Amino acid sequence: MAQLVLPGEPPRRLFSPPTRHAVAATDGLSAAAALRTMQGGAALLWHGDYPAARRLLAAVSRRIPQPPPDDYPSYRANRAHRARLLSLLYVPLDPGHVIPLRRAPDVSAACLQVYGPLREPAAVPLRELLGVIGAAEWRRRGIAVPALGARIHPHYGVFAPVRQEYVDLVAEAPLPSTELAFDIGTGTGVLAAVLAHRGVRRVVATDTSPRAITCAASNLARLGFADRVQVVEADLFPRGRAPLVVANPPWLPGRPRGPLDHAVYDPGSRMVRGFLDRARRHLTPDGEAWLVLSDLAEHLGLRRREELLGWIAAAGLRVADRTETPARHPRALDPNDPLHRARAKEVTSLWRLRA
């Protein structure tokens, strides 16, 4: 059994062929037969042409029924079911991250960034491998952030700032001070970079993910902010007080099921409530806590506006101002999205809170 090690996470044990848990599969396999095998709980270990494996994965995905529209519990259950099934199509990896299949691309550099060295034969779900390849391309090219006039380069497993609404809100809100700011849950470091770009002389950016710490530090150094922004591993707040503390927490209550889900799903609204509950202890007199939050959870019936206002009041905070912007991301504009009705109403707000 080979191990692939993800930085900051325990080693992941993957199939090493041959194994009794996998069924050999090749080019002649139909999508219907593949789906039946997967539904039976067996994995498929691919031995055919690499492009054919990609086509098979797409064909199987199309055969999995979509959830009914505007039914969030069914939507999440369907996503989990779909991910579980599609992750059962494996491709082999030889030492050095070489795919020993016809017409396979060179994935060695992308895999090395995520898994580290591989010295034994192993296998990886094709669905995951495609994510690794896509992440490597995003990391190479970066994502344009107009508010910065520059690009942010996300690493694998760190949520990319593809949605610019929350970035623009932080870029435009009036700063209470340019002395010091805390960026809570920094991710790629994009909001810390925006604050530094706006003239904040010192920023402390925190995250709990080692991947995010590395990613943010790399981006901030590339942008020339390494001397003004300190990136530290911390559960929410660093030590001390600041006249500005900023957080863009996950916007949906729920259990994350993968690395990127941690940027979207917040079990029990832990991060939102933790930020609010502890903000006063880290604010200087007349300081502001900026909570940047989508209201999608409210449109899905997962949280009520009254709950959020109650948490703010219970934390000894008051709303000094709120600015908002409608959703501009592609899903909000796609009428075929299963949650289109809720996404079309989505608004992201920057809540300026004071003690």
Side-chain angles (χ1 to χ4, degrees), residues 68-151:
D70 303 310
D71 183 341
Y72 180 72
S74 295
Y75 170 80
R76 278 226 78 190
N78 179 269
R79 280 178 60 90
H81 176 65
R82 180 180 296 271
R84 188 165 54 250
L85 288 178
L86 297 180
S87 294
L88 289 174
L89 177 59
Y90 280 72
V91 294
L93 278 180
D94 280 351
H97 304 294
V98 175
I99 305 175
L101 301 176
R102 296 187 306 277
R103 295 196 289 166
D106 181 356
V107 300
S108 56
C111 288
L112 184 63
Q113 289 177 348
V114 174
Y115 300 130
L118 178 65
R119 299 184 177 89
E120 304 175 49
V124 63
L126 176 58
R127 184 173 185 266
E128 178 177 312
L129 181 63
L130 294 175
V132 169
I133 296 169
E137 184 63 16
W138 274 24
R139 180 169 175 171
R140 183 186 68 82
R141 296 177 57 188
I143 295 171
V145 180
L148 278 175
R151 303 181 82 84

Side-chain angles (χ1 to χ4, degrees), residues 88-209:
L88 289 174
L89 177 59
Y90 280 72
V91 294
L93 278 180
D94 280 351
H97 304 294
V98 175
I99 305 175
L101 301 176
R102 296 187 306 277
R103 295 196 289 166
D106 181 356
V107 300
S108 56
C111 288
L112 184 63
Q113 289 177 348
V114 174
Y115 300 130
L118 178 65
R119 299 184 177 89
E120 304 175 49
V124 63
L126 176 58
R127 184 173 185 266
E128 178 177 312
L129 181 63
L130 294 175
V132 169
I133 296 169
E137 184 63 16
W138 274 24
R139 180 169 175 171
R140 183 186 68 82
R141 296 177 57 188
I143 295 171
V145 180
L148 278 175
R151 303 181 82 84
I152 286 288
H153 297 258
H155 292 192
Y156 178 81
V158 181
F159 195 74
V162 290
R163 295 179 54 155
Q164 300 287 315
E165 298 98 326
Y166 71 96
V167 178
D168 292 343
L169 287 171
V170 172
E172 295 165 6
L175 292 168
S177 167
T178 56
E179 177 188 353
L180 171 66
F182 295 162
D183 174 26
I184 310 303
T186 193
T188 61
V190 62
L191 294 186
V194 167
L195 293 171
H197 181 70
R198 295 190 63 189
V200 177
R201 291 189 290 274
R202 181 168 171 254
V203 181
V204 182
T206 72
D207 211 294
T208 58
S209 164

Side-chain angles (χ1 to χ4, degrees), residues 22 38 43 76 90-91 107 117 126 133 181 184 188 195 229 256 271 305 308 311 315 319 334 336 340:
M38 294 169 170
R76 278 226 78 190
Y90 280 72
V91 294
V107 300
L126 176 58
I133 296 169
I184 310 303
T188 61
L195 293 171
V229 183
M271 185 172 175
R305 176 61 57 91
L308 178 61
W311 297 340
V319 179
D334 181 5
N336 296 317
H340 174 69

Side-chain angles (χ1 to χ4, degrees), residues 194-257:
V194 167
L195 293 171
H197 181 70
R198 295 190 63 189
V200 177
R201 291 189 290 274
R202 181 168 171 254
V203 181
V204 182
T206 72
D207 211 294
T208 58
S209 164
R211 280 203 196 101
I213 296 294
T214 301
C215 178
S218 173
N219 278 310
L220 292 161
R222 182 184 290 107
L223 293 168
F225 297 137
D227 59 336
R228 293 163 56 193
V229 183
Q230 179 186 11
V231 185
V232 300
E233 187 171 346
D235 184 6
L236 296 179
F237 292 90
R239 293 181 178 179
R241 295 174 180 266
L244 174 61
V245 295
V246 179
N248 172 42
W251 56 87
L252 291 179
R255 181 170 63 88
R257 294 190 171 104

Side-chain angles (χ1 to χ4, degrees), residues 316-354:
L317 301 170
R318 63 180 176 85
V319 179
D321 192 20
R322 180 170 70 93
T323 53
E324 62 181 38
T325 183
R328 303 191 301 269
H329 57 90
R331 285 188 172 184
L333 307 175
D334 181 5
N336 296 317
D337 186 276
L339 302 180
H340 174 69
R341 187 177 299 176
R343 295 193 197 278
K345 300 175 186 175
E346 183 183 2
V347 168
T348 300
S349 298
L350 187 153
W351 300 77
R352 293 174 54 202
L353 308 174
R354 293 178 184 162

